[in-house]
Amino acid sequence: MKEADSGSHRADRGAMRRSGAPAGPRKADLKRATLIEAAGRLFVEKGYEATTMDEIAAAANFAKGTLYHYFSNKAELLRVLREVFENEVMEKVSARVESCPADDWRGRIIAWIEAAVEAYFKLRELHDVVIYSLGMPFRHTMAEAEITRYLTGLIRDGGKAGAWQVDDERWTAVIMFYAFRGACDEAMMGTERAEDVPKKLNDLFLRILGGQG
């Protein structure tokens, strides 16, 4: 009987430890996330080339050896930061689009535009770091970006539903993506008002698609 009670008490303690365990990522994941955040902050503040691995470790309050345990060099950190950037953009875009009724194709295009513009303005400093610090022309880094692939799928699905007729969904999405980028850049340079960008893009996109949503 005592053995049964003892076993029961051990099981209870184990259950308490499991239920009381902290939610979210483990300690190693938290360290990695802290290092990524520190690298992103320094890359934005100082520039990718000027930032050292020592500075990243210090900014994260970790020993340099800890940093090298997770990342072998700055280029690896930059690649991870690009993934972080793309994931954050896509979370915003997909959430906004999927909040629209499935058959509201005009609304879904508007949602893509509004979320993409909002993310571009909010994350523009990180965008410039992760895109232009890769040492290759912009056309190579963004040709297969997730946001462009998502727009391609949106155009394809709308076409299947009869909302518009498009011969080449990917080509159309690429043209629309560069129009979006150009419009945002013009607003950042002050030649367009930022608040006018979504409507102007929506008018343009619908003309490109040739449908009424």
Side-chain angles (χ1 to χ4, degrees):
M1 184 68 177
K2 289 183 179 180
E3 283 188 12
D5 289 344
S6 176
S8 176
H9 290 159
R10 285 197 299 271
D12 288 344
R13 288 195 297 270
M16 288 177 64
R17 285 197 296 272
R18 288 194 295 274
S19 63
R26 296 180 178 179
K27 190 173 182 179
D29 295 327
L30 288 172
K31 284 185 178 180
R32 186 174 186 274
T34 300
L35 290 164
I36 293 169
E37 190 277 333
R41 186 172 67 252
L42 287 173
F43 289 168
V44 168
E45 292 173 357
K46 298 188 60 177
Y48 172 72
E49 295 295 338
T51 301
T52 67
M53 292 289 275
D54 283 340
E55 289 172 329
I56 294 170
N61 292 318
F62 290 131
K64 189 176 180 179
T66 302
L67 172 58
Y68 277 105
H69 175 75
Y70 291 96
F71 303 101
S72 58
N73 50 49
K74 285 196 304 179
E76 187 177 344
L77 272 162
L78 188 64
R79 287 192 295 271
V80 172
L81 277 166
R82 183 183 175 190
E83 293 175 4
V84 170
F85 167 79
E86 289 195 342
N87 289 340
E88 186 167 348
V89 170
M90 283 311 307
E91 284 179 8
K92 294 178 184 298
V93 170
S94 61
R96 188 77 62 87
V97 171
E98 297 308 318
S99 69
C100 298
D103 59 349
D104 182 8
W105 296 103
R106 179 190 291 268
R108 291 169 83 81
I109 289 293
I110 293 173
W112 185 96
I113 293 169
E114 291 178 343
V117 170
E118 180 181 303
Y120 187 88
F121 277 96
K122 179 181 178 182
L123 302 172
R124 58 184 174 180
E125 291 180 329
L126 179 59
H127 164 275
D128 289 350
V129 167
V130 300
I131 297 302
Y132 297 121
S133 297
L134 288 173
M136 63 180 69
F138 171 81
R139 59 182 172 273
H140 293 302
T141 60
M142 296 303 289
E144 294 297 330
E146 183 64 26
I147 191 171
T148 311
R149 290 198 295 269
Y150 188 87
L151 181 58
T152 301
L154 186 58
I155 294 169
R156 181 182 299 115
D157 292 344
K160 290 179 180 178
W164 42 68
Q165 291 185 344
V166 174
D167 294 331
D168 189 329
E169 294 92 353
R170 183 185 179 279
W171 172 252
T172 303
V174 168
I175 294 301
M176 290 164 66
F177 172 77
Y178 279 105
F180 145 73
R181 280 299 310 272
C184 289
D185 286 342
E186 286 293 313
M188 289 179 187
M189 292 186 293
T191 59
E192 294 285 342
R193 297 196 311 166
E195 58 268 30
D196 293 339
V197 169
K199 183 181 185 307
K200 287 188 174 184
L201 283 174
N202 181 56
D203 293 342
L204 175 62
F205 280 20
L206 290 179
R207 287 200 300 273
I208 291 173
L209 293 169
Q212 297 303 311

